[in-house]
PDB file of all heavy atoms in Angstrom:
ATOM      1  N   GLY A  43      38.488 162.596-128.662  1.00 85.00           N
ATOM      2  CA  GLY A  43      37.867 162.916-129.940  1.00 85.00           C
ATOM      3  C   GLY A  43      36.907 161.834-130.398  1.00 85.00           C
ATOM      4  O   GLY A  43      37.156 160.649-130.205  1.00 85.00           O
ATOM      5  N   ASN A  44      35.796 162.251-130.981  1.00 89.00           N
ATOM      6  CA  ASN A  44      34.781 161.338-131.513  1.00 89.00           C
ATOM      7  C   ASN A  44      34.348 160.288-130.499  1.00 89.00           C
ATOM      8  O   ASN A  44      34.328 159.091-130.786  1.00 89.00           O
ATOM      9  CB  ASN A  44      35.268 160.661-132.793  1.00 89.00           C
ATOM     10  CG  ASN A  44      35.409 161.658-133.917  1.00 89.00           C
ATOM     11  OD1 ASN A  44      34.571 162.536-134.081  1.00 89.00           O
ATOM     12  ND2 ASN A  44      36.479 161.543-134.665  1.00 89.00           N
ATOM     13  N   CYS A  45      34.027 160.743-129.302  1.00 91.00           N
ATOM     14  CA  CYS A  45      33.590 159.799-128.273  1.00 91.00           C
ATOM     15  C   CYS A  45      32.702 160.518-127.254  1.00 91.00           C
ATOM     16  O   CYS A  45      32.569 161.730-127.268  1.00 91.00           O
ATOM     17  CB  CYS A  45      34.787 159.162-127.576  1.00 91.00           C
ATOM     18  SG  CYS A  45      35.756 160.306-126.596  1.00 91.00           S
ATOM     19  N   THR A  46      32.129 159.728-126.379  1.00 93.00           N
ATOM     20  CA  THR A  46      31.333 160.262-125.285  1.00 93.00           C
ATOM     21  C   THR A  46      32.225 160.383-124.064  1.00 93.00           C
ATOM     22  O   THR A  46      32.872 159.420-123.662  1.00 93.00           O
ATOM     23  CB  THR A  46      30.141 159.339-124.982  1.00 93.00           C
ATOM     24  OG1 THR A  46      29.334 159.254-126.157  1.00 93.00           O
ATOM     25  CG2 THR A  46      29.317 159.875-123.835  1.00 93.00           C
ATOM     26  N   ASN A  47      32.280 161.572-123.505  1.00 91.00           N
ATOM     27  CA  ASN A  47      33.071 161.846-122.305  1.00 91.00           C
ATOM     28  C   ASN A  47      32.134 161.884-121.110  1.00 91.00           C
ATOM     29  O   ASN A  47      31.031 162.434-121.203  1.00 91.00           O
ATOM     30  CB  ASN A  47      33.756 163.210-122.428  1.00 91.00           C
ATOM     31  CG  ASN A  47      34.700 163.279-123.596  1.00 91.00           C
ATOM     32  OD1 ASN A  47      35.862 162.995-123.460  1.00 91.00           O
ATOM     33  ND2 ASN A  47      34.187 163.641-124.764  1.00 91.00           N
ATOM     34  N   ILE A  48      32.572 161.337-119.999  1.00 90.00           N
ATOM     35  CA  ILE A  48      31.812 161.423-118.760  1.00 90.00           C
ATOM     36  C   ILE A  48      32.686 162.135-117.742  1.00 90.00           C
ATOM     37  O   ILE A  48      33.776 161.673-117.421  1.00 90.00           O
ATOM     38  CB  ILE A  48      31.370 160.039-118.247  1.00 90.00           C
ATOM     39  CG1 ILE A  48      30.459 159.387-119.288  1.00 90.00           C
ATOM     40  CG2 ILE A  48      30.666 160.176-116.895  1.00 90.00           C
ATOM     41  CD1 ILE A  48      30.037 157.978-118.953  1.00 90.00           C
ATOM     42  N   PHE A  49      32.215 163.283-117.283  1.00 89.00           N
ATOM     43  CA  PHE A  49      32.932 164.078-116.296  1.00 89.00           C
ATOM     44  C   PHE A  49      32.244 163.908-114.949  1.00 89.00           C
ATOM     45  O   PHE A  49      31.017 163.937-114.867  1.00 89.00           O
ATOM     46  CB  PHE A  49      32.913 165.564-116.659  1.00 89.00           C
ATOM     47  CG  PHE A  49      33.319 165.851-118.076  1.00 89.00           C
ATOM     48  CD1 PHE A  49      32.512 166.589-118.911  1.00 89.00           C
ATOM     49  CD2 PHE A  49      34.520 165.381-118.579  1.00 89.00           C
ATOM     50  CE1 PHE A  49      32.885 166.873-120.207  1.00 89.00           C
ATOM     51  CE2 PHE A  49      34.904 165.647-119.880  1.00 89.00           C
ATOM     52  CZ  PHE A  49      34.080 166.398-120.698  1.00 89.00           C
ATOM     53  N   SER A  50      33.029 163.736-113.898  1.00 90.00           N
ATOM     54  CA  SER A  50      32.483 163.581-112.558  1.00 90.00           C
ATOM     55  C   SER A  50      33.047 164.681-111.667  1.00 90.00           C
ATOM     56  O   SER A  50      34.265 164.845-111.580  1.00 90.00           O
ATOM     57  CB  SER A  50      32.843 162.202-112.005  1.00 90.00           C
ATOM     58  OG  SER A  50      32.249 162.011-110.746  1.00 90.00           O
ATOM     59  N   LEU A  51      32.154 165.436-111.034  1.00 92.00           N
ATOM     60  CA  LEU A  51      32.561 166.508-110.128  1.00 92.00           C
ATOM     61  C   LEU A  51      32.100 166.172-108.715  1.00 92.00           C
ATOM     62  O   LEU A  51      30.930 165.820-108.513  1.00 92.00           O
ATOM     63  CB  LEU A  51      31.907 167.837-110.519  1.00 92.00           C
ATOM     64  CG  LEU A  51      32.476 168.571-111.702  1.00 92.00           C
ATOM     65  CD1 LEU A  51      31.823 168.093-112.969  1.00 92.00           C
ATOM     66  CD2 LEU A  51      32.259 170.035-111.520  1.00 92.00           C
ATOM     67  N   ASP A  52      32.992 166.306-107.757  1.00 92.00           N
ATOM     68  CA  ASP A  52      32.647 166.121-106.355  1.00 92.00           C
ATOM     69  C   ASP A  52      31.970 167.408-105.875  1.00 92.00           C
ATOM     70  O   ASP A  52      32.579 168.467-105.858  1.00 92.00           O
ATOM     71  CB  ASP A  52      33.898 165.840-105.539  1.00 92.00           C
ATOM     72  CG  ASP A  52      33.624 165.654-104.062  1.00 92.00           C
ATOM     73  OD1 ASP A  52      32.454 165.727-103.638  1.00 92.00           O
ATOM     74  OD2 ASP A  52      34.595 165.441-103.319  1.00 92.00           O
ATOM     75  N   VAL A  53      30.706 167.311-105.520  1.00 92.00           N
ATOM     76  CA  VAL A  53      29.955 168.484-105.062  1.00 92.00           C
ATOM     77  C   VAL A  53      29.487 168.311-103.614  1.00 92.00           C
ATOM     78  O   VAL A  53      28.562 168.991-103.169  1.00 92.00           O
ATOM     79  CB  VAL A  53      28.765 168.790-106.009  1.00 92.00           C
ATOM     80  CG1 VAL A  53      29.257 169.242-107.369  1.00 92.00           C
ATOM     81  CG2 VAL A  53      27.836 167.597-106.147  1.00 92.00           C
ATOM     82  N   ASN A  54      30.140 167.427-102.878  1.00 91.00           N
ATOM     83  CA  ASN A  54      29.777 167.184-101.478  1.00 91.00           C
ATOM     84  C   ASN A  54      29.822 168.434-100.623  1.00 91.00           C
ATOM     85  O   ASN A  54      29.025 168.585 -99.706  1.00 91.00           O
ATOM     86  CB  ASN A  54      30.706 166.129-100.855  1.00 91.00           C
ATOM     87  CG  ASN A  54      30.154 164.742-100.988  1.00 91.00           C
ATOM     88  OD1 ASN A  54      28.954 164.529-100.877  1.00 91.00           O
ATOM     89  ND2 ASN A  54      31.030 163.791-101.233  1.00 91.00           N
ATOM     90  N   GLN A  55      30.763 169.345-100.911  1.00 92.00           N
ATOM     91  CA  GLN A  55      30.939 170.528-100.069  1.00 92.00           C
ATOM     92  C   GLN A  55      29.958 171.651-100.402  1.00 92.00           C
ATOM     93  O   GLN A  55      29.891 172.639 -99.674  1.00 92.00           O
ATOM     94  CB  GLN A  55      32.377 171.062-100.182  1.00 92.00           C
ATOM     95  CG  GLN A  55      33.412 170.200 -99.488  1.00 92.00           C
ATOM     96  CD  GLN A  55      33.679 168.886-100.208  1.00 92.00           C
ATOM     97  OE1 GLN A  55      33.612 168.833-101.429  1.00 92.00           O
ATOM     98  NE2 GLN A  55      33.955 167.838 -99.469  1.00 92.00           N
ATOM     99  N   LEU A  56      29.200 171.518-101.474  1.00 91.00           N
ATOM    100  CA  LEU A  56      28.245 172.575-101.822  1.00 91.00           C
ATOM    101  C   LEU A  56      27.035 172.510-100.900  1.00 91.00           C
ATOM    102  O   LEU A  56      26.524 171.427-100.601  1.00 91.00           O
ATOM    103  CB  LEU A  56      27.778 172.433-103.268  1.00 91.00           C
ATOM    104  CG  LEU A  56      28.825 172.590-104.359  1.00 91.00           C
ATOM    105  CD1 LEU A  56      28.159 172.479-105.733  1.00 91.00           C
ATOM    106  CD2 LEU A  56      29.563 173.895-104.234  1.00 91.00           C
ATOM    107  N   PRO A  57      26.557 173.665-100.445  1.00 89.00           N
ATOM    108  CA  PRO A  57      25.333 173.663 -99.647  1.00 89.00           C
ATOM    109  C   PRO A  57      24.144 173.177-100.476  1.00 89.00           C
ATOM    110  O   PRO A  57      24.130 173.322-101.701  1.00 89.00           O
ATOM    111  CB  PRO A  57      25.138 175.129 -99.255  1.00 89.00           C
ATOM    112  CG  PRO A  57      26.305 175.884 -99.754  1.00 89.00           C
ATOM    113  CD  PRO A  57      27.111 174.993-100.639  1.00 89.00           C
ATOM    114  N   SER A  58      23.167 172.588 -99.820  1.00 86.00           N
ATOM    115  CA  SER A  58      21.952 172.166-100.518  1.00 86.00           C
ATOM    116  C   SER A  58      21.327 173.376-101.195  1.00 86.00           C
ATOM    117  O   SER A  58      21.342 174.476-100.656  1.00 86.00           O
ATOM    118  CB  SER A  58      20.953 171.560 -99.536  1.00 86.00           C
ATOM    119  OG  SER A  58      21.477 170.385 -98.992  1.00 86.00           O
ATOM    120  N   GLY A  59      20.806 173.167-102.379  1.00 87.00           N
ATOM    121  CA  GLY A  59      20.182 174.266-103.110  1.00 87.00           C
ATOM    122  C   GLY A  59      20.091 173.951-104.582  1.00 87.00           C
ATOM    123  O   GLY A  59      20.402 172.843-105.021  1.00 87.00           O
TER     124      GLY A  59
END
Side-chain angles (χ1 to χ4, degrees):
N44 293 319
C45 67
T46 300
N47 299 269
I48 299 176
F49 310 126
S50 184
L51 283 88
D52 179 1
V53 293
N54 268 322
Q55 288 72 33
L56 296 183
S58 295

